[in-house]
Amino acid sequence: MSDTSTPEPAVPATTTPAEPVAVTETAAEPAAVAEPAAVVAPAPVEKKKRGVGAWSFVLGLLTALVDLAFLVFVVVVLVGAIADLTSGDLSGVATALGAAGLAILALGVFFGGFFTGGLAAILGLVALVSGRGRVLGFFGLLFGAAAIAVRLLLLSAGFSPDLG
């Protein structure tokens, strides 16, 4: 039993040189036969779940692309109508049908953009909080928030979606 008040030295007082020791098998103790190791299947790797972020990104991108396509369509229709009027073609029926089609399309794009942009922003927030596709969710949130901001700016500037 050692005394707990005095610590034992870390290095023994006498040192002996380390010599290699040969291990010999005795005849009474046969060598153990190596058993084959059990094959262990690798642990299943959990797939990354990006569903919420991907949906947010797709909806936000879809909203932005539809807005751009509608803007290009409106510019083409207006340039065509102005070209027809300046060339002397005063067919009012085609112009009226074009304006009615633009009004219906503008109404659908405007309110549809509110819906898809809002849904993209909400799903982006969910993806950021839950960690299910954070990068895609972040960009979906940006696209959705930008779509809503553009619509709110249009409304505050006096735009009427029903063109009435």
Side-chain angles (χ1 to χ4, degrees):
M1 184 181 253
S2 66
D3 187 19
T4 57
S5 62
T6 59
E8 294 184 17
V11 178
T14 61
T15 58
T16 58
E19 297 178 6
V21 177
V23 177
T24 59
E25 290 184 18
T26 60
E29 189 177 296
V33 177
E35 294 181 16
V39 178
V40 178
V45 177
E46 187 175 328
K47 289 179 63 177
K48 289 187 177 184
K49 298 176 182 176
R50 300 182 199 164
V52 177
W55 275 107
S56 171
F57 179 72
V58 167
L59 284 173
L61 189 62
L62 181 70
T63 304
L65 290 177
V66 167
D67 287 348
L68 288 175
F70 180 70
L71 184 64
V72 168
F73 177 72
V74 166
V75 168
V76 168
V77 167
L78 290 179
V79 168
I82 291 172
D84 284 344
L85 290 175
T86 57
S87 69
D89 184 15
L90 300 175
S91 60
V93 176
T95 305
L97 287 176
L102 278 180
I104 292 171
L105 192 60
L107 189 67
V109 168
F110 190 78
F111 289 113
F114 261 126
F115 177 71
T116 57
L119 190 58
I122 290 171
L123 288 176
L125 284 174
V126 168
L128 286 174
V129 170
S130 68
R132 296 174 62 111
R134 286 186 176 156
V135 174
L136 290 174
F138 176 72
F139 285 108
L141 175 64
L142 285 180
F143 286 140
I148 291 174
V150 165
R151 281 159 177 75
L152 290 176
L153 288 173
L154 285 173
L155 284 176
S156 68
F159 174 74
S160 177
D162 61 354
L163 299 176

